């Protein structure tokens, strides 16, 4: 680890007006060829490069990003981290990630601002209660720390919540104390910094136009900076993954839709946990700056516009104001949309495909941020060994023919 | 917010409509003869192009009738609306606004990381 960040380095740079911080990573011109090319410089892609270099000894890697690092869905989500998924396969995968999150700041010597403030999923009707209690039981069998809260306990944790005087009263909640939020930029920058130190080339503002294959074997990628040869190509391009797969003749069961989020003006601390509600579709947490971070839903149609419809925000804000009347007069500062790739069973695909040397990590839909380190870790294993890690073996493409779906629509939080 | 010109009711806001996914997907005539893979393709795989997309809409909060549309998914511009009984318009009728498969159009995208 060459660049060390510490309290001392903070003080030192404060004296020079923070103008002399070293560049975190190089921006080289692409070489003619690489062992592995990773398409997509978000958290998942940069993390994959980091674990390939660190755990599998592959250093001749390029990460190719069409915009800037973490400018896609890594920078466009609500940063919620949790692992309270129903099925064993998902619980293993997402909790692998939470465990990595817990040590990531130390491992990368870069502050992830990972705050385990707990994540609460509200129940608003009898069905919600039954479904959540079932999920809590399943979680506990998998060793996860989920628990049931009744209305009184919720009111103690979130005093500003209106639990009774609303159309769908709050009847209880599933709560995971180890869940929380992290800083989205930090995960992309931390992985970029440390993988670059191990020799990974980070190439920004370079668009991959298509993936070149010959007789079911990958040859490289055509980019806006010319053709780059590669033995292996790993595509982690979220909403655009299926578009790129198409250029290699691979069809993926994905649909791309805009997912919106918004933040309010900053206020004093009022809510110190993450509260999500599937039924009325509202989730909210408060950032360290004091802004309320609010997640809206997906648009009801396929689109790549990265904007989203106004009626979707309106629906979410309506639910937020009913749940928290105190927010009624607040102003919203920013709104944005990201293109999410949604799988039929609301679970990701981390898999090889029929083209040799071509790998996909996609289908994270509306909840990929939480999985960043875990997904990158097992995907690096899949790419390096040409076979899945036991944690992601079930998240293959074959499940859409053999029927072993991992249906997580209930735990996915945003209705797909 | 996009406006959709329902062939029966006229132009209304998109929130009155429900999207029905890809249009012109035909159920295989002989499901028993298909392999698991082929059946999986029919059940789970739909095209997801950036650009020209043929899709179905239902005017849920209006006449409740189904119809088809051709839309550019990179800009959300609706290029053509036609009834279920009409023939599928040929793709050569429409012009894609994209220079590369995953590029950004000049107008209509919110991806400021890539747009110049």
């Amino acid at each position: 680890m060459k660049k060390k960040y510490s309290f001392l380095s903070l003080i030192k740079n404060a004296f020079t007006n923070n103008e002399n911080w070293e560049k975190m990573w190089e921006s080289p011109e692409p070489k003619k060829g690489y062992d592995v090319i990773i398409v997509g410089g978000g958290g998942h892609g940069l993390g994959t490069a980091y674990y390939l270099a660190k755990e599998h000894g592959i250093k001749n890697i390029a990460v190719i990003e069409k915009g800037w690092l973490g400018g896609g869905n890594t920078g466009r989500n609500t940063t919620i981290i949790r692992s309270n998924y129903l099925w064993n396969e998902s619980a293993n995968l997402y909790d692998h990630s939470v465990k990595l999150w817990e040590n990531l700041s130390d491992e990368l010597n870069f502050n992830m601002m990972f705050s385990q403030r707990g994540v609460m999923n509200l129940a608003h009707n009898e069905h919600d209660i039954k479904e959540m209690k079932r999920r809590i039981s399943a979680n506990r069998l998998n060793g996860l720390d989920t628990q049931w809260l009744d209305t009184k306990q919720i009111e103690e944790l979130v005093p500003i919540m209106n639990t009774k005087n609303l159309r769908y009263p709050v009847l209880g909640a599933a709560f995971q104390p180890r869940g929380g939020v992290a800083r989205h930029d930090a995960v992309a920058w931390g992985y970029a910094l440390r993988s670059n130190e191990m020799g990974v080339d980070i190439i920004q503002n370079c668009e991959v136009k298509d993936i070149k294959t010959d007789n079911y074997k990958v040859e490289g990628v055509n980019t806006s900076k010319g053709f780059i040869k590669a033995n292996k190509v790993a595509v982690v391009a979220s909403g655009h993954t299926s578009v790129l797969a198409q250029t290699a003749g691979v069809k993926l069961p994905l649909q791309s839709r805009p997912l919106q989020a918004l933040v309010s003006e900053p206020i004093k601390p009022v809510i110190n946990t993450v509260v999500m509600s599937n039924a009325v579709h509202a989730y909210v947490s408060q950032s360290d700056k004091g802004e309320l971070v609010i997640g809206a839903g997906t648009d009801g149609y396929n689109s790549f516009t990265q904007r989203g419809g106004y009626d979707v925000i309106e629906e979410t804000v309506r639910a937020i104001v009913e749940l928290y009347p105190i927010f009624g007069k607040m102003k919203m500062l920013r709104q944005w949309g990201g293109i999410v790739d949604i799988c039929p069973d609301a679970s990701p695909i981390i898999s090889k495909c029929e083209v040799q040397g071509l790998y996909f990590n996609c289908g994270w839909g509306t909840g990929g941020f939480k999985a960043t380190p875990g997904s990158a870790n097992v995907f690096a294993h899949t790419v390096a060994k040409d076979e899945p890690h036991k944690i992601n073996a079930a998240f293959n493409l074959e499940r859409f023919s053999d029927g072993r779906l991992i249906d997580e629509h209930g735990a996915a939080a945003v209705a797909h | 917010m996009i406006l959709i010109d329902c062939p029966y009711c006229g132009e209304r806001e998109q929130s009155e409509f429900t999207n029905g996914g890809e249009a012109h997907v035909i159920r295989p005539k002989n499901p028993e003869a298909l392999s698991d893979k082929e059946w999986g393709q029919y059940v789970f795989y739909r095209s997801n192009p950036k650009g020209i997309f043929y899709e179905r809409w239902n005017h849920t909060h209006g006449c409740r009738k189904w119809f088809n549309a051709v839309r550019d998914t990179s800009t959300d511009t609706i290029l053509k609306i036609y009834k279920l009984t009409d023939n599928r318009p040929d793709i050569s009728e429409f012009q894609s606004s994209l220079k590369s498969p995953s590029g950004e159009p000049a107008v209509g995208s919110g991806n400021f990381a890539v747009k110049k």
Side-chain angles (χ1 to χ4, degrees):
Chain A
M1 212 175 278
K2 289 172 202 153
K3 296 186 187 75
K4 283 282 260 183
Y5 294 105
S6 64
F7 189 55
L8 268 177
S9 66
L10 265 181
I11 296 174
K12 202 178 118 205
N13 281 285
F15 280 117
T16 51
N17 231 359
N18 287 315
E19 280 168 0
N20 294 328
W21 285 101
E22 263 182 90
K23 251 193 189 169
M24 288 173 72
W25 55 80
E26 305 298 319
S27 301
E29 282 302 304
K31 290 192 256 178
K32 283 210 175 79
Y34 291 93
D35 290 341
V36 180
I37 284 180
I38 295 165
V39 184
H44 291 247
L46 292 161
T48 306
Y50 172 78
Y51 291 112
L52 273 173
K54 184 176 166 249
E55 293 183 356
H56 304 283
I58 301 174
K59 306 276 163 97
N60 190 20
I61 305 172
V63 178
I64 301 181
E65 163 60 43
K66 77 169 172 173
W68 59 69
L69 296 189
N73 291 349
T74 302
R76 289 168 185 261
N77 62 82
T78 50
T79 75
I80 297 168
I81 292 161
R82 61 189 171 90
S83 60
N84 55 351
Y85 281 69
L86 177 65
W87 301 106
N88 300 349
E89 295 86 352
S90 321
N92 289 339
L93 176 64
Y94 289 103
D95 209 50
H96 179 53
S97 190
V98 171
K99 284 176 189 153
L100 288 172
W101 272 115
E102 285 170 337
N103 291 316
L104 205 58
S105 295
D106 269 353
E107 189 182 336
L108 302 176
N109 179 241
F110 200 78
N111 192 358
M112 296 294 143
M113 294 166 81
F114 180 41
S115 154
Q116 291 177 296
R117 56 183 71 178
V119 173
M120 199 186 276
N121 288 84
L122 301 181
H124 294 270
N125 54 47
E126 198 58 36
H127 173 80
D128 279 357
I129 295 176
K130 287 187 172 146
E131 193 269 337
M132 277 182 199
K133 286 193 170 167
R134 177 195 179 204
R135 189 136 59 89
I136 291 170
S137 305
N139 286 168
R140 296 185 84 91
L141 289 172
N142 277 318
L144 304 181
D145 57 330
T146 324
Q147 65 201 60
W148 177 255
L149 301 181
D150 59 28
T151 311
K152 201 165 161 278
Q153 289 167 303
I154 297 172
E155 283 168 350
E156 276 165 22
L157 274 166
V158 189
I160 58 167
M161 194 191 295
N162 168 22
T163 54
K164 292 181 187 74
N165 183 25
L166 69 170
R167 172 73 179 83
Y168 298 104
V170 177
L171 303 175
F175 185 59
Q176 188 181 21
R178 277 166 69 238
V181 290
R183 183 165 173 227
H184 47 70
D185 293 328
V187 61
W189 295 344
Y191 277 134
L193 166 68
R194 298 306 167 203
S195 54
N196 186 229
E197 279 183 358
M198 290 185 282
V200 173
D201 278 0
I202 292 165
I203 298 156
Q204 300 180 72
N205 296 312
C206 176
E207 182 192 335
V208 171
K209 297 192 165 160
D210 56 73
I211 299 163
K212 199 163 172 256
T213 61
D214 181 42
N215 198 20
Y216 289 99
K217 195 178 175 318
V218 84
E219 293 200 316
V221 292
N222 279 314
T223 73
S224 49
K225 293 186 176 174
F227 176 73
I228 309 173
K229 217 165 123 352
N231 298 334
K232 291 176 176 179
V233 174
V235 185
V236 207
S238 69
H240 286 87
T241 307
S242 54
V243 176
L244 285 167
Q246 195 79 36
T247 67
V250 178
K251 230 182 155 189
L252 295 172
L254 299 173
Q255 298 283 288
S256 297
R257 294 190 164 186
L259 174 67
Q260 292 180 82
L262 52 158
V263 291
S264 73
E265 57 190 335
I267 52 169
K268 285 185 179 175
V270 286
I271 182 165
N272 63 355
T273 184
V274 182
V275 187
M276 317 179 69
S277 165
N278 276 15
V280 299
H281 207 292
Y283 51 99
V284 66
S285 63
Q286 191 171 14
S287 74
D288 292 343
K289 277 192 281 184
E291 300 159 329
L292 297 175
V293 184
I294 295 170
T298 52
D299 279 0
Y301 51 90
N302 291 7
S303 172
F304 290 83
T305 54
Q306 296 204 330
R307 287 176 304 179
Y310 186 70
D311 54 317
V312 177
I313 313 177
E314 204 174 14
E315 188 190 333
T316 293
V317 171
R318 197 157 53 212
I320 292 275
V321 171
E322 204 182 8
L323 262 179
Y324 313 94
I326 187 179
F327 296 155
K329 295 260 167 80
M330 280 187 75
K331 292 180 180 72
M332 292 298 148
L333 280 190
R334 293 191 301 281
Q335 165 275 346
W336 63 91
I339 303 304
V340 297
D341 45 340
I342 293 170
C343 240
D345 59 356
S347 283
I349 297 166
I350 312 172
S351 177
K352 329 197 267 183
C353 68
E354 67 260 33
V355 177
Q356 204 194 326
L358 184 58
Y359 307 85
F360 292 102
N361 183 354
C362 57
W364 289 97
T366 54
F369 180 77
K370 64 176 82 70
T372 306
S375 134
N377 185 264
V378 296
F379 190 46
H381 183 282
T382 310
V383 174
K385 309 264 191 240
D386 197 37
E387 61 180 26
H389 189 280
K390 65 178 193 292
I391 290 177
N392 70 314
F395 296 90
N396 52 35
L397 269 170
E398 288 75 42
R399 72 180 193 265
F400 300 102
S401 338
D402 65 22
R404 291 191 178 85
L405 299 177
I406 307 160
D407 183 356
E408 289 291 0
H409 284 99
V414 176
H416 286 173
Chain B
M1 179 78 67
I2 52 179
L3 294 171
I4 298 175
D5 195 9
C6 171
Y8 307 97
C9 310
E11 201 168 65
R12 303 291 169 86
E13 285 180 359
Q14 177 271 319
S15 56
E16 286 190 19
F17 298 82
T18 308
N19 186 276
E22 189 184 3
H24 307 291
V25 177
I26 298 163
R27 190 179 197 273
K29 288 211 170 64
N30 50 349
E32 68 284 354
L34 297 186
S35 67
D36 286 352
K37 192 166 182 194
E38 287 164 330
W39 184 247
Q41 294 274 332
Y42 163 66
V43 176
F44 296 116
Y45 288 69
R46 294 290 177 269
S47 61
N48 182 35
K50 186 167 188 174
I52 313 294
F53 185 49
Y54 293 77
E55 63 186 354
R56 302 180 301 173
W57 287 94
N58 182 273
H59 195 182
T60 332
H61 301 286
C63 61
R64 299 174 65 194
K65 285 185 179 133
W66 285 93
F67 59 92
N68 288 341
V70 182
R71 184 168 53 92
D72 185 339
T73 58
S74 68
T75 60
D76 282 348
T77 315
I78 293 176
L79 304 167
K80 185 159 191 167
I81 283 177
Y82 56 103
K83 292 182 182 174
L84 292 183
T85 47
D86 296 343
N87 287 332
R88 176 192 163 113
D90 195 73
I91 196 144
S92 60
E93 279 185 38
F94 312 105
Q95 205 165 8
S96 172
S97 52
L98 298 175
K99 290 195 186 85
S100 62
S102 55
E104 296 298 328
V107 180
S109 163
N111 189 354
F112 300 104
V114 175
K115 268 169 69 175
K116 295 273 158 35

